[in-house]
Amino acid sequence: MPAEAPEPRQWRQILDRVASTPWIEFSVFLFPAVLFYMVFTAYPVARTFINSFFVITPLGSEYIGFENYREIIFEDWVFWKAVGNTLIWSIVGPIVDVGLGLILALVIYSGVRLGAFYRFVWFAPVLISNVVAGILWLWIYNYDWGVLNSALRAVGLGDWAMSWLGNTSTALGAVIAAHSWKWAGFDMVVCLAALYALPREVLDASELDNCGWFAKTYFVIIPMIKRTLLNLTILAFIGRMKIFDLVWVMTTGGPLWSTETVSTYVYKRAFNWSTFDLGYPSALGSLWSLVIIVVVILLTRIVSSKERLEY
Amino acid sequence: MRGTASVLAVAGALTAGAAHAEDITLTVWSHEADSKSKVAWRELAARNFEEAHPGVKVKITWYQKEPLFSALNTALRAGQGPDAFYIERDRVEYITNGFVTPLNDLINWSSIKPWTKDVWTIDGKTYAVPQEVWTLENFFNETRMAELGITLPDNKQLSQTEYLELVKKSVAAGISPLAAGAGDRPYPGAYMTQELLLKRLGVDDYRALLDGKISYTDPRVIEVLGYVHQLVEAGFYPKSFTTMTLAETWPYFEANPAALMLIMGSFYAGHPFTSDVPDSFKLGVMKIPALDNGVCNECKTAAVGASFAINSNSEHKELVADFLNEMATPEMGARWVKTVLLGTAVETGPIESDNPKMKAYLDEYNEANQGAKYFIGAPHQYLTGSCKEAWAQIINVALPANLISIEDTAARLDQACYRP
């Protein structure tokens, strides 16, 4: 049904409200934030998009239309390799992170002894910067004296010891594992908050129905915190689509581009290729931003279309 | 009265001039913040310059390499940056984009070794003052070599078969044949391959290969890749090679696990003489092996390292050029060799080292370089774009780590580099 047009009296009210609004005060308060946004977000984004249609060097720029985009899509196999790695990470990472976070949260929620201690220990990696975490895991994965290989040797599995970050078949998994170690604690805390917010009577009812621990978790708890899990998964997915620092510290995208992500590739094209051209990396960044925006819109629709759970 | 006024006017003008001069601070951004001897040497040059130029200060800001070039990339693009800055030959984009002032008429080139000047000369214009020079050397631990019962020939060069046997013997004895790591640099893993390519192809064809005029599927290149693959299969590179950093490589060679060899620029040689190394560590120098079909087995890489350039936006080009001249006097060159323990681009004449161990090393170094024919510049200093990246990923990492076949190596490098 079409919305009805306001009555003349309503119009007057609206006009009165507009007239009585302190626009000057609004402007004064909004101006710094708007200026900050325009200068540090809107302008760089717009400029990057415009740059993507040029070859840009300090000596000047040349308009080339969609040539950068054509090259990226049809000729740049490293870009597609980076896209593949990023997507693998974006899909596997959230499943591992959220799954692990949920398990850890359930362990603490079950009332395990020293729960506060475990909560601190498991959350602590979140407080470490990605750079420090990267260096830590470089040591853990060190072939000669790293904890992982030393442990394998200690239990008689020395043949399994390998250069985890130096092998194309294990490097991406090794970096994903390091990243999951860092972020599972964050997911744990969020899941724990959701668990503590669950209505006690529903859980008590399931226990009265002789529901076992596994059945209670699978059929009662997880459905009730599904929205939290979904939101965490989406957040994790978006974060992995932009992953840079941990990869840069641990592998710089190697060996043989096996851990190259779109972000590390953009950085290399912008700063490591000894060309100074900012047009091509701008096109890479613009294209990938577009992909992320589309994915975010799709995921947001999926989340918002889910029925709200009532209890 | 009129005379007094004139005197006052002149005095005023002089005072104003002096005040103006005091305002001048030359800014210099330098890499090698963690090298005490280099910091001391450059700061000494700055103080000497200040003494000779009253009222002018030199402020050196110290960086590590990556942060330095990140800062320069941003500052120079914005038309800012220091008056002078550290530069290496692989940063050719600063020159091609007009960020660097030609120094032909500003520097006293008579004290600089001509070949090092040539490294920085493009289309007749010279863009930086070279400070450090190095050659690529195959170092070895003499104690380890003796343990293996190997005696080097008089010319210090094994044949390719003998070298392969040396590697196998070392592995069999439980000694790591080579200390090498490509974890934080795009070149140490490529050293052996590049030197063998140079020997097999000779100077002109090696340059053509780097220029993309010769295919990596050329039988001579394949032959070299095949030999490198044999070395890799024999266990030449450490298993931790892909993640080992340059800084970790040196103790790996000297102390733990004390590898047999290290292929590195001669800039390494300063390290064992200024650090705590085990008594059992005795530095020796041998040549990269001679190839059976080598066109130029006496060929080796020499390169210019640390250099300084002047920002084209500097308002004090002549003054800052004087500072660069201050670092390029024969006295400072000799001091560089004695205190930094590295090769210098400055003409110094013969220098006697006070350190007996260093003196013995220098004798051995000179012996290993007897009759050498140099190719100036390393591949990572030449290449740009996709070829630079492919070289770093494939020749520097994948080939030594045995992650790629010889055929794939050639095909991928051709894809990135070959532009006939």
Side-chain angles (χ1 to χ4, degrees):
Chain A
M1 199 170 86
E4 286 180 21
E7 295 287 321
R9 205 175 66 185
Q10 285 174 312
W11 271 118
R12 203 175 310 119
Q13 282 175 344
I14 291 170
L15 288 173
D16 285 348
R17 206 178 308 140
V18 170
S20 63
T21 302
W23 291 110
I24 294 174
E25 287 83 348
F26 270 16
S27 305
V28 168
F29 280 107
L30 279 176
F31 180 73
V34 170
L35 183 70
F36 192 84
Y37 175 79
M38 294 303 287
V39 171
F40 292 107
T41 304
Y43 174 72
V45 168
R47 186 59 194 260
T48 302
F49 183 67
I50 293 166
N51 284 353
S52 69
F53 297 103
F54 291 81
V55 170
I56 298 175
T57 66
L59 294 176
S61 56
E62 181 194 352
Y63 177 75
I64 54 165
F66 285 90
E67 177 58 24
N68 282 331
Y69 289 96
R70 189 200 62 75
E71 192 178 332
I72 291 168
I73 293 168
F74 296 110
E75 292 178 10
D76 194 342
W77 67 268
V78 177
F79 170 72
W80 289 108
K81 175 77 178 162
V83 168
N85 292 336
T86 309
L87 287 178
I88 289 171
W89 198 333
S90 300
I91 292 165
V92 174
I95 295 170
V96 174
D97 292 11
V98 177
L100 198 59
L102 177 63
I103 291 169
L104 297 178
L106 287 169
V107 169
I108 293 173
Y109 185 66
S110 69
V112 69
R113 285 177 63 189
L114 300 173
F117 171 73
Y118 289 128
R119 188 168 51 193
F120 171 74
V121 169
W122 290 335
F123 185 72
V126 180
L127 305 174
I128 299 173
S129 77
N130 273 333
V131 175
V132 175
I135 293 169
L136 198 66
W137 279 88
L138 274 174
W139 293 344
I140 290 171
Y141 287 135
N142 185 285
Y143 177 81
D144 294 311
W145 43 263
V147 172
L148 184 56
N149 283 336
S150 298
L152 286 171
R153 291 183 189 111
V155 297
L157 296 172
D159 289 347
W160 290 14
M162 65 164 78
S163 176
W164 299 92
L165 294 171
N167 193 318
T168 46
S169 56
T170 56
L172 184 62
V175 182
I176 291 175
H179 198 263
S180 293
W181 167 84
K182 180 166 163 37
W183 284 108
F186 174 79
D187 294 341
M188 174 199 73
V189 168
V190 177
C191 287
L192 208 51
L195 290 173
Y196 283 130
L198 291 178
R200 193 65 233 169
E201 55 271 25
V202 178
L203 300 175
D204 290 344
S206 69
E207 281 166 18
L208 285 173
D209 286 343
N210 271 338
C211 209
W213 182 88
F214 179 79
K216 188 172 77 174
T217 304
Y218 189 75
F219 293 109
V220 180
I221 294 178
I222 291 180
M224 285 166 68
I225 62 167
K226 200 163 68 178
R227 284 186 68 82
T228 302
L229 298 179
L230 209 53
N231 281 323
L232 279 176
T233 306
I234 291 169
L235 280 176
F237 182 85
I238 295 167
R240 302 317 175 269
M241 295 279 275
K242 300 183 292 184
I243 194 80
F244 174 79
D245 39 12
L246 194 75
V247 186
W248 196 252
V249 172
M250 292 180 75
T251 63
T252 59
L256 270 183
W257 301 279
S258 61
T259 59
E260 195 81 75
T261 65
V262 176
S263 299
T264 58
Y265 185 49
V266 171
Y267 181 86
K268 282 182 183 176
R269 289 298 303 242
F271 302 113
N272 278 11
W273 276 40
S274 299
T275 60
F276 263 130
D277 172 32
L278 286 184
Y280 195 89
S282 295
L284 283 168
S286 299
L287 189 64
W288 196 240
S289 298
L290 193 68
V291 171
I292 293 175
I293 289 168
V294 169
V295 170
V296 168
I297 291 170
L298 285 175
L299 290 175
T300 308
R301 287 201 169 178
I302 291 170
V303 174
S304 57
S305 68
K306 294 288 171 194
E307 287 176 14
R308 287 190 176 279
L309 198 63
E310 298 203 358
Y311 40 76
Chain B
M1 184 70 189
R2 209 169 149 185
T4 311
S6 303
V7 170
L8 284 174
V10 170
L14 286 174
T15 312
H20 179 71
E22 276 170 13
D23 286 338
I24 295 178
T25 298
L26 301 179
T27 52
V28 180
W29 289 2
S30 177
H31 166 44
E32 298 171 321
D34 60 351
S35 171
K36 284 180 189 170
S37 56
K38 287 180 180 173
V39 169
W41 187 89
R42 287 180 192 140
E43 289 288 356
L44 175 68
R47 301 296 83 80
N48 290 346
F49 174 81
E50 286 170 353
E51 264 184 40
H53 296 77
V56 184
K57 298 279 179 204
V58 178
K59 183 178 186 309
I60 306 179
T61 307
W62 296 95
Y63 288 89
Q64 290 289 13
K65 190 183 283 188
E66 286 308 317
L68 168 68
F69 288 122
S70 295
L72 280 172
N73 286 345
T74 312
L76 295 176
R77 264 185 179 278
Q80 297 171 357
D83 292 299
F85 54 87
Y86 175 101
I87 190 170
E88 289 182 7
R89 189 59 178 79
D90 56 347
R91 298 285 163 173
V92 69
E93 67 269 27
Y94 293 166
I95 296 169
T96 54
N97 285 289
F99 293 142
V100 177
T101 300
L103 302 175
N104 298 50
D105 302 326
L106 293 171
I107 297 296
N108 175 18
W109 292 107
S110 63
S111 61
I112 304 288
K113 291 172 183 167
W115 72 266
T116 65
K117 182 191 171 195
D118 291 346
V119 166
W120 283 109
T121 303
I122 299 171
D123 296 334
K125 292 178 181 171
T126 308
Y127 289 94
V129 181
Q131 201 162 79
E132 174 191 17
V133 297
W134 54 269
T135 53
L136 195 68
E137 300 299 337
N138 193 143
F139 296 106
F140 67 95
N141 183 341
E142 290 181 353
T143 309
R144 286 297 210 191
M145 196 66 91
E147 282 171 26
L148 291 174
I150 303 281
T151 309
L152 293 174
D154 289 343
N155 70 353
K156 306 266 185 188
Q157 188 170 40
L158 297 174
S159 70
Q160 67 178 73
T161 310
E162 290 167 337
Y163 197 86
L164 184 59
E165 285 308 311
L166 172 67
V167 170
K168 287 178 179 171
K169 203 167 181 179
S170 177
V171 171
I175 298 171
S176 296
L178 184 76
D184 63 343
R185 293 288 194 281
Y187 48 79
Y191 279 154
M192 177 55 103
T193 310
Q194 76 182 48
E195 291 305 287
L196 293 174
L197 284 169
L198 172 59
K199 289 176 191 305
R200 180 66 186 90
L201 299 173
V203 169
D204 292 338
D205 279 3
Y206 177 64
R207 180 175 288 115
L209 181 78
L210 296 181
D211 287 343
K213 304 299 178 201
I214 290 180
S215 165
Y216 283 82
T217 57
D218 184 293
R220 295 169 298 170
V221 177
I222 295 292
E223 192 182 309
V224 168
L225 297 179
Y227 179 64
V228 173
H229 186 69
Q230 281 183 298
L231 288 174
V232 172
E233 289 278 313
F236 187 50
Y237 292 93
K239 291 256 173 70
S240 53
F241 153 80
T242 50
T243 53
M244 197 188 299
T245 63
L246 191 69
E248 289 168 347
T249 305
W250 297 356
Y252 192 96
F253 174 46
E254 295 157 356
N256 185 22
L260 176 66
M261 296 185 283
L262 170 78
I263 299 176
M264 189 59 63
S266 54
F267 50 78
Y268 158 76
H271 190 260
F273 301 112
T274 53
S275 314
D276 287 331
V277 293
D279 292 339
S280 60
F281 181 81
K282 290 190 172 56
L283 187 64
V285 189
M286 62 192 284
K287 291 177 181 168
I288 298 284
L291 292 174
D292 296 344
N293 299 318
V295 170
C296 181
N297 279 324
E298 69 278 20
C299 281
K300 66 191 298 185
T301 297
V304 166
S307 304
F308 279 84
I310 295 178
N311 187 343
S312 55
N313 277 323
S314 169
E315 292 174 1
H316 311 291
K317 292 189 181 73
E318 292 191 0
L319 260 181
V320 80
D322 281 351
F323 171 58
L324 300 191
N325 277 325
E326 182 65 45
M327 292 199 284
T329 62
E331 296 74 31
M332 287 303 284
R335 191 180 181 86
W336 173 273
V337 176
K338 284 187 174 180
T339 61
V340 183
L341 305 177
L342 295 178
T344 176
V346 177
E347 299 277 16
T348 58
I351 297 170
E352 282 295 316
S353 174
D354 305 332
N355 181 333
K357 278 187 180 175
M358 183 73 181
K359 190 175 180 312
Y361 159 74
L362 284 175
D363 289 344
E364 202 165 338
Y365 171 81
N366 290 331
E367 210 176 312
N369 278 273
Q370 196 78 39
K373 187 176 177 185
Y374 296 107
F375 179 86
I376 307 303
H380 70 274
Q381 298 176 322
Y382 264 95
L383 306 174
T384 60
S386 59
C387 187
K388 184 178 189 174
E389 170 70 2
W391 186 277
Q393 293 266 3
I394 296 169
I395 298 288
N396 183 49
V397 178
L399 184 68
N402 211 4
L403 299 174
I404 192 169
S405 68
I406 296 165
E407 293 73 25
D408 276 352
T409 299
R412 288 204 183 192
L413 284 167
D414 263 4
Q415 189 182 8
C417 305
Y418 185 40
R419 305 283 180 269

